[in-house]
Amino acid sequence: MAMITNPRSGGNRKGWDGIRNFLAGNRQIRHEEAVTPDQVRAVLADFASREVDLLIVNGGDGTVQSVLTALYGQNLFRRPPVLALLRAGTTSMLARDVGVAGRPLAALEKIRDWRGPAAGGHDIEERSVLKLRQGADGQNLCGMFFGAGAIPRGIELFHGQINPKGVRGEFFPGLILARLLLAVFTGNEKLLPPAEMEIRVDGVPVPENRYLFTLVSTLDRLFLGMHPYWGKEDAPLHFSAVRSKPPCLLRNLPYLMRGRRTRTASPENGYFSRNARRIHFDFRGRFTLDGELFEAVAPLTVEPAGPARFLKI
């Protein structure tokens, strides 16, 4: 058993003395710190040489994204370990869906007392992760949530103007969402310009080129409990997109955020959602992968990797 900590994540910046004391009393947990993706990779390479089979991730969504990239984009382990995600970030969207419940110290105590898979293996959940490749020779990035359009714009606002002190939890992302919706309904394209892109889902073009947002995820739950997918296909990637200035958005949005399609939320009106195996994006601009911002400078391909195994107790 091993644990990797990002001391700069939202839940660790203000001190984590309780966790340090816990680790001092539980020497069977090998512990290392890492901040940058290169540091994460170096720590995991060492853990791989020791054949670690359970990896605790004490960091935010960006730290989890670096871990998933090292495990499934760079294949450091012969068999990737079971992942136990702690809610130690600013939002911890991934840990709230596929992580260990409770505050980090309480979660660590549950992990310490865990005796292996329960009957039927219900405490281990397998979930595909996203593998994203940019251009023909681009480096693989892995994560569980990709977003473009309004989504990276919201992250910029969250970390810049509205949440300068790094307040944790789901309230502030909800506040950002409300601000962006106000920009949509007032036509404020200076704050929220449409994203121009071409999309192909399993080889089939999506018949729009200006989008309010588009996303791909393997999470069941986003922040505030949202589940904005309503496709029924048997495939691992949840894809959703809404064109710029669609009709009936105010009426449809509360239903779509819960995964319930309405009569007017149709492809003809610019509302798209399906489960898929490969999605191709061609645009220039910012996108997010698990809350980290990247720049699209070449076409992107998103496909499944894994499946990853997550401890949920």
Side-chain angles (χ1 to χ4, degrees), residues 42 93 113 123 141 146 150 166 171 179 252:
M93 184 171 68
D113 298 336
D123 44 6
L141 295 172
F146 165 90
F171 171 75
R179 182 173 180 182
N252 288 326

Short mmCIF file of all heavy atoms in Angstrom, two decimals, residues 42 93 113 123 141 146 150 166 171 179 252:
data_model
loop_
_atom_site.label_atom_id
_atom_site.label_comp_id
_atom_site.label_asym_id
_atom_site.label_seq_id
_atom_site.Cartn_x
_atom_site.Cartn_y
_atom_site.Cartn_z
N ALA A 42 7.61 10.22 -11.50
CA ALA A 42 8.78 9.65 -10.83
C ALA A 42 8.37 8.86 -9.59
O ALA A 42 8.89 7.76 -9.34
CB ALA A 42 9.75 10.77 -10.45
N MET A 93 -14.18 16.59 -7.66
CA MET A 93 -15.29 16.02 -8.41
C MET A 93 -15.07 14.52 -8.65
O MET A 93 -16.01 13.73 -8.54
CB MET A 93 -15.46 16.75 -9.75
CG MET A 93 -16.65 16.29 -10.57
SD MET A 93 -16.97 17.35 -11.99
CE MET A 93 -15.54 17.01 -13.02
N ASP A 113 -8.35 -0.02 7.62
CA ASP A 113 -9.11 -1.15 8.17
C ASP A 113 -9.72 -2.04 7.09
O ASP A 113 -10.34 -3.06 7.42
CB ASP A 113 -10.22 -0.63 9.09
CG ASP A 113 -9.67 0.14 10.28
OD1 ASP A 113 -8.50 -0.11 10.65
OD2 ASP A 113 -10.39 0.99 10.83
N ASP A 123 -16.99 -3.33 -3.23
CA ASP A 123 -16.21 -2.17 -2.81
C ASP A 123 -15.12 -1.81 -3.82
O ASP A 123 -14.40 -0.84 -3.62
CB ASP A 123 -15.60 -2.39 -1.42
CG ASP A 123 -14.98 -3.78 -1.26
OD1 ASP A 123 -14.93 -4.51 -2.26
OD2 ASP A 123 -14.57 -4.11 -0.14
N LEU A 141 -2.88 12.03 -22.77
CA LEU A 141 -3.33 12.51 -21.48
C LEU A 141 -4.52 11.66 -21.06
O LEU A 141 -5.34 11.28 -21.90
CB LEU A 141 -3.76 13.98 -21.55
CG LEU A 141 -2.70 15.02 -21.87
CD1 LEU A 141 -3.34 16.39 -22.09
CD2 LEU A 141 -1.67 15.11 -20.73
N PHE A 146 -13.60 15.60 -19.81
CA PHE A 146 -13.12 16.54 -20.83
C PHE A 146 -14.22 17.55 -21.10
O PHE A 146 -15.40 17.19 -21.21
CB PHE A 146 -12.78 15.79 -22.12
CG PHE A 146 -12.63 16.68 -23.33
CD1 PHE A 146 -11.39 17.21 -23.66
CD2 PHE A 146 -13.72 16.98 -24.14
CE1 PHE A 146 -11.25 18.04 -24.78
CE2 PHE A 146 -13.58 17.79 -25.25
CZ PHE A 146 -12.34 18.33 -25.58
N ALA A 150 -17.95 26.59 -22.74
CA ALA A 150 -18.25 27.28 -21.49
C ALA A 150 -17.53 26.66 -20.29
O ALA A 150 -17.30 27.34 -19.29
CB ALA A 150 -19.76 27.26 -21.24
N GLY A 166 -9.41 30.23 -2.79
CA GLY A 166 -9.40 28.77 -2.90
C GLY A 166 -10.38 28.08 -1.97
O GLY A 166 -10.09 27.01 -1.43
N PHE A 171 -20.12 24.73 -3.70
CA PHE A 171 -20.92 25.95 -3.78
C PHE A 171 -20.38 26.90 -4.84
O PHE A 171 -21.14 27.44 -5.65
CB PHE A 171 -20.95 26.65 -2.42
CG PHE A 171 -21.57 28.02 -2.46
CD1 PHE A 171 -22.95 28.18 -2.57
CD2 PHE A 171 -20.78 29.16 -2.42
CE1 PHE A 171 -23.53 29.44 -2.63
CE2 PHE A 171 -21.35 30.42 -2.47
CZ PHE A 171 -22.72 30.55 -2.57
N ARG A 179 -23.48 32.26 -13.01
CA ARG A 179 -22.98 33.43 -13.72
C ARG A 179 -22.90 33.18 -15.22
O ARG A 179 -23.26 34.05 -16.03
CB ARG A 179 -21.60 33.82 -13.18
CG ARG A 179 -21.04 35.07 -13.86
CD ARG A 179 -19.76 35.54 -13.22
NE ARG A 179 -19.24 36.72 -13.89
CZ ARG A 179 -18.11 37.34 -13.56
NH1 ARG A 179 -17.40 36.89 -12.55
NH2 ARG A 179 -17.70 38.39 -14.23
N ASN A 252 -35.24 23.53 -20.86
CA ASN A 252 -34.66 22.20 -20.95
C ASN A 252 -33.56 21.93 -19.94
O ASN A 252 -33.36 20.79 -19.51
CB ASN A 252 -34.08 21.98 -22.36
CG ASN A 252 -35.15 21.80 -23.41
OD1 ASN A 252 -36.20 21.23 -23.14
ND2 ASN A 252 -34.90 22.29 -24.62
#
